[in-house]
Amino acid sequence: MPDWKNKLFFGDNLRILREHVPDESVDLVYLDPPFNSNANYNVLFKEKSGQSSHAQITAFEDTWEWGDEAEETYYETIQQSGRLADFLQAFRTILGPSDMMAYLVMMAPRLHELHRVLKDTGSIYLHCDPTASHYLKLLMDAIFEPERFIAEIIWKRTNARGTTGKWPRIHDVILVFAKSETFRFHSLKVKADKAKLPHTLITIDGVKYQTYELTGPGITKEGESGKPWRGFDPTKFGRHWADSQMEMDAWDADALIHWAKDGFPRRRDAEPFDPDARMITVGTVWTDIDRINQSAKERLGYPTQKPEALLERIITASSNENDVVLDPFCGCGTSISVAERLHRKWIGIDITHLAITLIRSRLFDHFKSDLSPYEVIGDPKDLASAQALALESKHDGRYQFQFWAAGLVDARPANDQRKKGADSGIDGIINFIDDRSGQAKKVIVQVKSGHVKVGDIRDLKGVLDREKAAMGCFITLEEPTGPMKTEAVSAGFYESGVKLAGVSAEKFPKIQILTIAELLAGKKLNFPRHRMETFKQAERKSKSRDKQPGLFNDPERPF
């Protein structure tokens, strides 16, 4: 498909799957949906000092409650009858109208759609935790059929911590199902833990060698594989020779058969055992991939960010280059970034504009000019759709318009806007460095979707003074008034007074008013862009098969 363009969708993944993703068009699905852990996850941004900012934005609310929406979805699903409807009704009998039931009702139609979009050679990896994994396994059995269950992967994501009255939970569960028996899979090997030597080693003249079984399970009645060799009869032990007796004779002639004092002979390697070169096949318990720690270079501050190594293993094992990888809960875009690096096509879906902005920044930081073409679908592209988003945000209180508008100037959201009365006059912040002190300067961003007046600019001036900010940006859906423009001009200029990286000192309007229409038309905020520090800069990644990724800093993202 030479005209393929990768896609990043904003919106409810159920609607997007139904309306935009065709049947049997996806090779691999990875999803890491919100767990039913009764916890609200916040995105925590780090200040330049490294301390956690007071600014917190809820990325999603990981709490599911039974209500009218859950009830409606439940009846919509069971009306379609079939195995899935039977399972949900059984769950309803056992769990009643509970929060867990609400979570399963939310997941059921989405898993059903993901089954529909998978190719026959495709598979799905459902990342969950032990709170609900057993229920989700039954849902997957209902949708994919039990014989399509491939594996339950246990990922040890952290070390045990002290708890009171219960075992510490240190792992996640990843359920793997296939669309058919022809699913794609590549076995993987990793370096073995040198501290864990295999029990099959022998020592000859002080040198260790690896040894292997000569027999396999099961009895054979035809040929020589079931006949005695050198006085050893495998049939008596329910086994058979795995290799021909002629080959075993040749190994013995080369002194490559180890004749143990007790038990069957074993084949040994000709070369001494090298613990540094030892490779083992990856199984279903993953203890070699660490969670993202506080100082990890790939850490972006997103609450449920998964390590790239985890997604690299999944994508490498269950897809080929140019296959399509889909993540319907793509969050900060780890699966998308890894798919891009591994030369896969991709589709990402998320319900928050905060996530979409972060993914776009991450992709640019990672790949810059190497980034494959992609389109963002569902975010406002014109003034009418921006007005619709603003109206929707007023009704649902989710501040999506503010997130989206702040993202137009590459600002990070600010304040915990879930709290009534918490508006401190800051909807977004841009950090930049324009001298050799290493100290970040701030651009305060305000977003207004309703009526605007000259008093709004005066208020912004006060916020700049209070926050000791260098500049202010006022984003408005409506056209600014003449007095507003005059008031902004009266604020004067911010002067970048130190020459840095060959860039001469410049003057920038201290307060700039930008309309949504202007931003959609491509107008940019004018401020020192020598080094932007809004989001944590993602590492530069190489898509070349023979290059290692390094660090990369770029002065400006193209959005």
Side-chain angles (χ1 to χ4, degrees):
M1 299 175 63
D3 59 344
W4 171 271
K5 183 178 285 187
N6 296 323
K7 297 176 177 61
L8 185 59
F9 288 93
F10 163 74
D12 182 348
N13 53 27
L14 182 59
R15 177 185 62 80
I16 289 167
L17 286 168
R18 287 172 172 171
E19 296 178 3
H20 294 279
V21 185
D23 295 354
E24 300 183 357
S25 60
V26 173
D27 297 280
L28 172 64
V29 173
Y30 169 82
L31 66 157
D32 181 16
F35 297 166
N36 186 33
S37 57
N38 296 317
N40 293 333
Y41 289 102
N42 296 319
V43 175
L44 301 179
F45 294 93
K46 296 290 186 183
E47 298 294 0
K48 294 310 295 177
S49 65
Q51 298 296 315
S52 293
S53 170
H54 293 296
Q56 301 181 53
I57 300 297
T58 299
F60 53 76
E61 298 222 347
D62 186 5
T63 302
W64 309 100
E65 297 179 353
W66 188 268
D68 291 342
E69 184 177 356
E71 191 80 50
E72 182 179 344
T73 305
Y74 171 74
Y75 280 113
E76 176 186 323
T77 305
I78 65 172
Q79 284 173 2
Q80 299 176 14
S81 68
R83 187 199 297 261
L84 179 58
D86 293 340
F87 269 69
L88 281 184
Q89 291 181 79
F91 284 149
R92 180 72 179 267
T93 300
I94 298 169
L95 299 172
S98 61
D99 293 348
M100 178 61 76
M101 187 65 197
Y103 179 72
L104 297 172
V105 165
M106 183 278 293
M107 289 298 298
R110 288 163 172 80
L111 294 173
H112 177 76
E113 291 299 319
L114 293 172
H115 177 270
R116 175 186 61 80
V117 304
L118 269 179
K119 297 178 182 177
D120 279 346
T121 54
S123 54
I124 179 171
Y125 287 70
L126 171 55
H127 196 138
C128 49
D129 74 351
T131 307
S133 60
H134 47 304
Y135 294 118
L136 291 171
K137 169 65 165 58
L138 290 173
L139 271 186
M140 297 289 279
D141 283 341
I143 296 167
F144 283 79
E145 299 184 351
E147 55 268 29
R148 298 292 172 250
F149 171 68
I150 303 302
E152 178 186 68
I153 294 169
I154 302 299
W155 173 44
K156 180 180 177 293
R157 57 179 179 77
T158 187
N159 295 319
R161 300 171 183 168
T163 58
T164 301
K166 63 179 180 181
W167 294 102
R169 186 174 70 81
I170 63 172
H171 77 279
D172 284 349
V173 176
I174 304 175
L175 301 173
V176 186
F177 279 76
K179 182 70 172 285
S180 74
E181 68 278 0
T182 60
F183 68 95
R184 182 168 292 132
F185 181 75
H186 309 290
S187 180
L188 302 178
K189 289 183 177 293
V190 295
K191 281 190 173 295
D193 185 347
K194 290 191 290 185
K196 298 179 179 178
L197 296 179
H199 68 278
T200 52
L201 295 178
I202 60 171
T203 302
I204 301 176
D205 297 329
V207 180
K208 293 186 180 298
Y209 294 87
Q210 175 71 283
T211 65
Y212 307 92
E213 287 271 11
L214 287 171
T215 61
I219 295 173
T220 58
K221 296 182 179 180
E222 296 182 1
E224 62 179 11
S225 62
K227 294 180 180 180
W229 177 75
R230 304 290 182 90
F232 292 91
D233 186 357
T235 302
K236 291 181 179 180
F237 300 92
R239 301 181 68 83
H240 66 278
W241 298 115
D243 301 282
S244 71
Q245 294 191 10
M246 181 181 296
E247 191 166 20
M248 292 190 292
D249 286 335
W251 287 332
D252 189 35
D254 292 333
L256 296 180
I257 296 292
H258 172 61
W259 297 94
K261 293 180 180 179
D262 300 311
F264 266 51
R266 296 174 64 86
R267 179 175 66 86
R268 73 168 178 88
D269 282 336
E271 298 297 326
F273 174 74
D274 182 1
D276 292 321
R278 181 176 173 237
M279 304 291 287
I280 59 172
T281 301
V282 177
T284 57
V285 178
W286 297 355
T287 61
D288 60 324
I289 298 177
D290 291 334
R291 65 184 176 90
I292 301 176
N293 60 44
Q294 295 293 328
S295 60
K297 291 180 179 179
E298 67 179 89
R299 185 179 181 86
L300 300 176
Y302 202 80
T304 59
Q305 182 180 352
K306 299 301 184 292
E308 291 191 9
L310 186 76
L311 273 300
E312 182 171 349
R313 177 167 293 177
I314 291 170
I315 292 172
T316 302
S318 294
S319 68
N320 295 332
E321 289 191 7
N322 293 316
D323 279 356
V324 178
V325 178
L326 166 65
D327 186 343
F329 294 91
C330 61
C332 64
T334 300
S335 59
I336 301 305
S337 176
V338 174
E340 174 73 15
R341 176 163 55 85
L342 297 178
H343 301 272
R344 271 66 169 173
K345 301 166 186 174
W346 50 263
I347 300 171
I349 309 171
D350 203 273
I351 201 168
T352 70
H353 279 294
L354 176 64
I356 300 301
T357 299
L358 181 56
I359 292 169
R360 295 177 67 194
S361 300
R362 180 178 189 171
L363 288 172
F364 178 75
D365 290 341
H366 279 341
F367 305 108
K368 202 190 173 189
S369 60
D370 289 337
L371 180 61
S372 302
Y374 76 96
E375 57 183 328
V376 180
I377 302 171
D379 64 334
K381 297 293 193 299
D382 52 37
L383 192 58
S385 56
Q387 291 168 337
L389 177 61
L391 183 61
E392 178 184 340
S393 295
K394 288 180 181 179
H395 288 319
D396 65 21
R398 292 178 59 204
Y399 296 90
Q400 293 287 1
F401 179 79
Q402 284 88 337
F403 296 160
W404 169 75
L408 293 177
V409 294
D410 206 19
R412 66 165 165 86
N415 295 324
D416 189 343
Q417 299 186 26
R418 295 168 299 151
K419 299 178 181 178
K420 293 182 179 180
D423 187 2
S424 59
I426 306 174
D427 293 311
I429 295 176
I430 300 172
N431 289 324
F432 66 91
I433 297 175
D434 65 346
D435 59 34
R436 299 187 185 280
S437 70
Q439 297 298 310
K441 315 290 178 61
K442 287 193 294 189
V443 179
I444 299 297
V445 178
Q446 285 188 351
V447 179
K448 298 292 182 182
S449 60
H451 177 67
V452 291
K453 56 189 183 303
V454 67
D456 294 326
I457 304 301
R458 296 193 187 106
D459 291 342
L460 179 55
K461 283 184 176 180
V463 174
L464 297 189
D465 291 339
R466 185 191 74 213
E467 299 293 325
K468 297 180 174 55
M471 299 174 62
C473 173
F474 188 86
I475 300 176
T476 171
L477 190 59
E478 293 187 353
E479 286 294 321
T481 65
M484 290 174 66
K485 296 177 182 178
T486 301
E487 188 70 24
V489 170
S490 71
F493 293 88
Y494 168 76
E495 184 171 345
S496 179
V498 179
K499 185 175 181 180
L500 180 67
V503 180
S504 301
E506 296 179 82
K507 288 184 177 180
F508 302 87
K510 191 175 182 67
I511 292 181
Q512 298 174 39
I513 302 174
L514 296 171
T515 67
I516 293 295
E518 289 174 330
L519 290 169
L520 290 173
K523 188 171 183 179
K524 301 286 187 179
L525 176 66
N526 187 20
F527 72 102
R529 293 178 178 270
H530 309 316
R531 280 186 61 195
M532 290 183 59
E533 301 291 340
T534 303
F535 295 101
K536 179 180 176 183
Q537 195 90 12
E539 291 180 275
R540 176 73 163 106
K541 300 289 183 179
S542 174
K543 293 168 65 176
S544 172
R545 295 165 182 82
D546 57 359
K547 293 181 181 179
Q548 294 296 322
L551 294 177
F552 180 82
N553 290 311
D554 191 83
E556 181 178 0
R557 297 182 179 100
F559 45 84

